[in-house]
Amino acid sequence: MRQLLFFVTLLCISLSFSQVKEFKVTGKLIDEVDKVPLEAATVYVQRVKDSSLVTYTISDRTGVFSLAGETGDEYLNLFVSYVGYKTYFKKLKIDETEINLETLPLEINSNVLGEVILQSTAPVTIKKDTLEFNVSSFKTRKDANVEDLLKELPGVEINAEGKITINGKEVNKILVNGKPFFGNDPTITTKNLTKDIIEKVQIVDTKTKSEAFTGEVGDKENKTINLTIKEENNKGVFGRVSAGAGTNERYEFAGMLNVFDNDQRVSLLAGGNNTNSPGFSFGEISEMFGRGGGMNFNSNGSFSIGGRSFGAGQGITTSENAGVNYADKIGEVTDVSGDYFYASSNSENEASSQRETILSDARFFTNSKSQSTNDTESHQANVEFQIEIDSTLQINIEPSFSYSKSNTIFNNNIETLDEARMLTNQSSVGSNVESFAKEFTNEINLTKRFGSKGSFLRLELKNNTSHDEKEDFLNSVTEIFGTSPETINRDQLTIGDNARNGLNSEITYRLPIVANKLFLNFEYEYALNENENRQSTFDFNTTEQTFTDFNTELSTDFEYTDSQVTPGIGLTYRGEKWSTRFNLSYNFRTLKNEDLLRPQFNVERDFKNIQMRYNLNYMFSPKSSIYMGYRLSNDTPPLRQLQAFADVSNPLNTVTGNSDLVPSNRHLLYAGYNGFDWQKRTGVYVNINANVTNNQIVSKSIVDPETLKRTTTYVNVNGNYNYSVSGNYTKNFKIDSLRNIKVNVGGSSSFAKTINFNNDVKYASNVSSLTPNVGVDFIWDKVFEFKPYYRVTFTNNAYDINAFEDRKFTRHAAGVRTATFMPKNLEWRNDISFNYNPDVAEGFQNSAWFWNATLAYSVLKDQGAITLKVYDLLNQNTNAVRNATQDYIEDSQSTVLRQYFMLSLSWKFNSLGSKGESNGGSMRFH
């Protein structure tokens, strides 16, 4: 019986392909009156019976288009859509392989009353500064989320961590109907909103609200995605719930509830797990892929997504999170949005490392093992008010508050050996740190436009106040061997109290020289930051059996003041094809530090620096553009580096500041090209960056040859520079109406020269790297996906002194992602990766296969799913890494999440308006 069904299926597929006909439609689009060619018009064909998209293209700069595809239908509907013009319609009979429509004049849309308005479903619309996609034109699986949708859009790439790039530019903001959805965290939006409620995807350069209000050019380095919801879906309730349990006591749960009532929007989100996930996943395989040992953790032991910290540390993390988002329109002039997040986590980790440190005349080795546990709890609330008093006056108010507390228990054992592998010193450290932090920030922005020539006045006021407290119980033993052996015992309590207050104000006036094209900008900025930092250390008193003996040597009590005044002037030009901006400012800065424990180390320094910024953007066509720019910035030495007192908190490294440091000057030059050929389905982008830094501040250490104790200070050096080049090329090959292949070839290369000191010997390190990559995606719609990829990184570390050996490293990464969608309602996905690092030290795992798999079955008319997933099927997960810097090579690894099986159930509900056809630009007939 199974063989009979198999052959029947093959026969049906063969018959369907035998009836498919190839076709090619060509023509030229011109303005009906002026007869000029129309570039970037959308030409597309739909099936007559259900209006489903067959294929589409974009006209070139001469107005010519070529539309190729396959169909089994006798007739297709042809549409031509162009902003500002009436949509052209023609019913085509597909009786020839090539159909030449010759010249098609488009009529300007004059909005004459009495016309019949139909709805257009153009898959792509190119406006002046907006690229708009019609969601209904792009096929995805039935229960696809926004991330699945974005992956189908041309020029959009999403990596395993959920980072989105469009033609190489990172997406740093996603809006829903023009408003934030759970802050500026893109992944919460892309992974939790479903495609079926979205009508349009709009892509623009990232702008502040004030820049959008004044019509200024936005940030060309970043993109914003705005998701518009279908009008009939703006009222109702929808959401998802999911829960799963697995082996090794692994579990996860998540829920999301959304209540939309036109302008009013309320969303609730909650989740928890012990699988190193942020807590807002619903059991999909996409939530597991890319986590192979693998989250990127912050230095404070927390991990973050989209800039929002979720607590936790390296190792195995158990987390619980909840959030609420609210958006509404109050009256006629005020839009409000806000969110609140709660997060708690517990993490456990064990780490080990082996480091070889190279000196100018010797080398030594350090072995380290540590264990840590961390408990974190945090609250964060954000509110945004946008008030448009009238068409010329806008006020934005954005307060934010956060509170967190954490407890970290850390134990570390370190031993240092000399070149002959003889033990030179060793230490054991145990600490228990409890900390609290609270912060309030507020930003007020007032923008007033004058007349119709582009003039405006903008006032900005930002304030920040925060308070951190901590108690650190430390017990350490440091043993130094050799001819003068020494043992340092510390049993101490350090109480930290850090209060910060900041105020930043800025005024900007734009004077039009040529109406709406050439402007003169006047800017003035004042900033004041004050910081009171007190670290009080008490030794344990054995008589009183408590921490009462104040240790002046290990205590600090500073009062910092950082004040800045920066006047500036600029020139801006904004045309149809190109725009440019030049800004020149002069920074007056005063740094003042009062050391209440050591008045002899008080510091007050004045700095004066020129700051410069220039950028140029040129658009060859709506499909391709170039950009370039230059920045001159100055980095003032941190006050701690200017203070000349000796910090002996680390018994093996005494750090002393340098009051003679001067600011470093950084010259940044960047350029790039990106484009997408809609007719050939090819995309390419190239980015170039170069940095030259004068007076770079670097550390300068001298190591005692017998004890290997360090003495460190800071100095300025010249000669540091780096540059990098990256690029990517994609090409889509359409085999037929169901199958296509996408080829992705790219790579990056970088070089950096860094001046440093090693045991008082000045030297230069030259680090170069090359990373080519290739990927091929084969997609058989609703049947099968096969996506292999390969990436290799070559790194070369070269030095200009004989004491250092040049080092070469190679890392390989390969894998394949597959998906099978047959039989009906069953989805099987796999992500198999292989990592090979042949250069790690003996005792560290240098290669591993990593295989995640999931099997999902749809139930309840596709509203529910039963999912079985396997994490690390081959049980080989590792995060062994080799790092090479100017003066050391280190191999390290830590606790990773290991194999587990999990069965989960998910259900989605939706009471929104009926699913209708997409509402796009107007199509009119007389």
Side-chain angles (χ1 to χ4, degrees), residues 62-294:
T62 63
V64 173
F65 67 87
S66 178
L67 186 68
E70 295 178 338
T71 184
D73 298 347
E74 183 179 2
Y75 291 94
L76 293 175
N77 288 333
L78 171 77
F79 299 93
V80 179
S81 177
Y82 192 66
V83 176
Y85 289 77
K86 296 178 181 179
T87 299
Y88 175 88
F89 166 76
K90 184 179 181 64
K91 191 172 183 178
L92 295 178
K93 185 175 182 180
I94 311 301
D95 55 358
E96 298 179 6
T97 303
E98 295 193 8
I99 303 172
N100 187 358
L101 299 179
E102 299 181 345
T103 301
L104 300 179
L106 297 190
E107 182 182 352
I108 293 177
N109 189 349
S110 57
N111 293 321
V112 178
L113 296 177
E115 294 179 328
V116 178
I117 300 177
L118 299 180
Q119 297 303 322
S120 166
T121 54
V124 180
T125 301
I126 301 177
K127 301 178 182 178
K128 182 178 179 181
D129 59 354
T130 303
L131 182 61
E132 184 176 87
F133 296 98
N134 193 314
V135 170
S136 63
S137 300
F138 297 90
K139 297 178 181 179
T140 60
R141 56 188 174 88
K142 291 182 180 180
D143 62 340
N145 57 23
V146 171
E147 182 176 289
D148 298 321
L149 167 65
L150 294 177
K151 289 178 180 178
E152 301 303 317
L153 303 183
V156 179
E157 299 290 336
I158 302 179
N159 66 12
E161 286 75 37
K163 177 183 175 181
I164 307 170
T165 57
I166 300 174
N167 289 328
K169 303 293 184 66
E170 183 176 353
V171 173
N172 63 350
K173 185 184 296 185
I174 292 186
L175 306 175
V176 177
N177 280 351
K179 297 179 181 179
F181 186 74
F182 281 102
N184 293 326
D185 180 357
T187 57
I188 290 183
T189 305
T190 57
K191 293 182 181 295
N192 293 291
L193 285 187
T194 56
K195 170 200 172 184
D196 54 11
I197 71 167
I198 307 299
E199 180 182 24
K200 305 277 188 184
V201 175
Q202 299 170 335
I203 299 172
V204 297
D205 294 332
T206 294
K207 295 183 179 183
T208 65
K209 292 179 180 179
S210 178
E211 288 173 336
F213 184 68
T214 58
E216 295 173 88
V217 175
D219 178 6
K220 294 292 183 179
E221 296 299 300
N222 294 282
K223 295 290 185 180
T224 291
I225 293 177
N226 181 45
L227 305 172
T228 66
I229 296 178
K230 300 176 185 178
E231 186 175 352
E232 66 269 26
N233 283 340
N234 259 328
K235 191 177 182 66
V237 179
F238 69 99
R240 303 178 71 183
V241 291
S242 175
T247 57
N248 299 327
E249 299 182 347
R250 299 292 168 216
Y251 69 88
E252 63 182 14
F253 64 90
M256 186 179 192
L257 173 67
N258 303 274
V259 182
F260 285 10
D261 187 2
N262 296 317
D263 289 327
Q264 188 179 88
R265 190 178 71 211
V266 180
S267 298
L268 303 174
L269 198 62
N273 63 80
N274 60 355
T275 58
N276 284 6
S277 170
F280 297 130
S281 64
F282 288 89
E284 301 97 331
I285 192 63
S286 60
E287 301 297 336
M288 297 197 315
F289 290 174
R291 291 214 309 260

Side-chain angles (χ1 to χ4, degrees), residues 351-358 364-369 412 414 797 799 807 809 811 837 839-842 844 879-893:
S352 62
S353 66
Q354 296 179 3
R355 175 183 295 188
E356 178 184 358
T357 302
I358 304 122
F364 63 90
F365 304 88
T366 304
N367 301 319
S368 173
K369 289 186 178 182
N412 189 23
I414 301 175
N797 292 16
Y799 307 93
R807 304 273 182 164
F809 307 98
R811 296 179 183 177
N837 187 358
D839 303 302
V840 298
E842 184 176 347
F844 290 82
N879 64 354
V881 176
R882 165 160 286 198
N883 292 313
T885 67
Q886 290 82 3
D887 61 353
Y888 72 80
I889 299 170
E890 182 180 67
D891 297 294
S892 62
Q893 64 182 15

Side-chain angles (χ1 to χ4, degrees), residues 360-381:
S360 58
D361 53 357
R363 63 188 61 203
F364 63 90
F365 304 88
T366 304
N367 301 319
S368 173
K369 289 186 178 182
S370 65
Q371 304 85 35
S372 65
T373 60
N374 172 270
D375 291 285
T376 299
E377 186 175 288
S378 65
H379 305 262
Q380 183 173 341

Side-chain angles (χ1 to χ4, degrees), residues 111 195 235 269 302 412 426 513 529 670 769 830 839 860:
N111 293 321
K195 170 200 172 184
K235 191 177 182 66
L269 198 62
S302 66
N412 189 23
Q426 65 182 14
I513 300 175
N529 290 282
Y670 61 92
S769 69
N830 294 275
D839 303 302
L860 303 175

Side-chain angles (χ1 to χ4, degrees), residues 627-646:
Y627 65 92
M628 62 181 298
Y630 166 78
R631 293 175 191 164
L632 169 61
S633 58
N634 302 276
D635 295 322
T636 303
L639 278 167
R640 177 59 193 88
Q641 294 181 355
L642 288 169
Q643 293 171 309
F645 90 95

